[in-house]
Amino acid sequence: MPDAKLEIHQFACLSDNYGFLVRDAATGRTATIDTPDADAILAEAARIGWTITDIWNTHWHPDHAGGNAAIVAATGAKVTGPAEVARIAAAPDVLAAPGQTVALGGSIATVLDVGGHTLEHIAYHFAEHTVAFVGDALFALGCGRLFEGTAEQAHASLERLMALPDATTIYCAHEYTQANARFCESLGPASAALASRIAQIDAARAAGRPTVPTSIGLERATNPFVLADEAGLRAALGLADASRTALFAEVRRRKDVFR
Ligand SMILES: [Zn+2]
């Protein structure tokens, strides 16, 4: 039974990021998940009448923690995040280590290790609300580029996310889905589930609608980076006997050079 109502407000910012404001209704505690654009986040919070009390960072990249200083200056928000955030901002007030829980009022999130895109990348999983904020670790039909971690690390991170219930709503930080769909088509024949999803994605984007959030179930059924349609993927890539990690690494390698 959910312990408190968790309200989520999603909006577009920068060229292809999403901002997320999350509010524990009972206490009014409100977090911005990452800080892609401080001005846009502050304006959006003011527009909907929410007062930012917290910043929850997923990783250190400038389009995720670059707005920390300005939002702290404007609101006095408490910063929660991995230690790596100190590369471009003040060290977090609360270090969020994998396995710990962090609280937004009465709403509790578990910190998940989703390293790979960056070494200390984390996700926030509100189990009782079946919601997770995953930053750049997992995208709709994609996953973040491996700037720092190994394929082994990233594959293990994605497996941890895929262990969440199918119904879990996944808020990822970028609208990359249509480009990811074109990459999926380049891998070989699409499964029926993937083909159907791609048609929905193209229709949504043509109508100007977001494709985020997604869900664990949808990614499990269609996303090649989590080895959906594993048999078809092995056949298409000629990797019948490769380990699952090697199969993931090959999909990621192909995406890195896909144009
Ligand atoms: Zn990033």
Side-chain angles (χ1 to χ4, degrees):
M1 186 189 77
D3 55 348
K5 189 168 171 223
L6 192 69
E7 301 172 313
I8 298 168
H9 177 67
Q10 173 179 324
F11 55 99
C13 60
L14 300 180
S15 59
D16 53 32
N17 279 75
Y18 284 115
F20 303 107
L21 291 168
V22 184
R23 184 174 182 270
D24 176 68
T27 62
R29 285 280 295 274
T30 300
T32 175
I33 306 295
D34 289 325
T35 58
D37 181 336
D39 289 345
I41 292 164
L42 291 167
E44 195 70 12
R47 189 180 70 77
I48 63 174
W50 292 5
T51 301
I52 294 171
T53 57
D54 291 79
I55 294 169
W56 284 13
N57 290 125
T58 61
H59 66 295
W60 72 268
H61 281 162
D63 61 326
H64 293 262
N68 279 23
I71 291 179
V72 169
T75 66
K78 181 173 82 172
V79 179
T80 297
E84 68 174 23
V85 163
R87 291 197 219 175
I88 64 151
D93 302 305
V94 177
L95 284 181
Q100 289 183 340
T101 57
V102 291
L104 188 70
S107 297
I108 308 299
T110 300
V111 177
L112 302 179
D113 171 7
V114 291
H117 176 69
T118 67
L119 288 178
E120 296 181 0
H121 196 315
I122 56 174
Y124 297 98
H125 177 221
F126 290 92
E128 290 182 277
H129 304 275
T130 59
V131 164
F133 294 89
V134 302
D136 292 350
L138 171 69
F139 295 126
L141 292 184
C143 80
R145 193 175 285 253
L146 308 187
F147 287 113
E148 298 178 12
T150 62
E152 288 73 14
Q153 184 184 10
H155 175 63
S157 294
L158 292 172
E159 297 270 89
R160 269 190 288 282
L161 289 173
M162 288 304 115
L164 301 179
D166 275 353
T168 309
T169 301
I170 296 296
Y171 290 90
C172 54
H174 290 274
E175 181 61 61
Y176 288 161
T177 315
Q178 203 165 27
N180 289 340
R182 300 288 85 82
F183 169 70
C184 291
E185 290 170 334
S186 80
L187 290 174
S191 69
L194 177 58
S196 159
R197 186 178 183 195
I198 289 175
Q200 290 172 19
I201 288 163
D202 288 340
R205 295 311 291 157
R209 293 196 306 271
T211 63
V212 174
T214 176
S215 72
I216 290 294
L218 197 51
E219 297 314 313
R220 193 198 308 286
T222 56
N223 184 333
F225 294 88
V226 301
L227 310 186
D229 184 25
E230 183 174 338
L233 196 58
R234 286 181 181 280
L237 302 187
L239 291 172
D241 300 323
S243 68
R244 284 169 56 81
T245 299
L247 191 57
F248 164 75
E250 176 61 12
V251 174
R252 187 58 254 177
R253 187 194 68 75
R254 289 185 182 225
K255 179 66 167 65
D256 288 346
V257 298
F258 179 73
R259 293 289 180 271

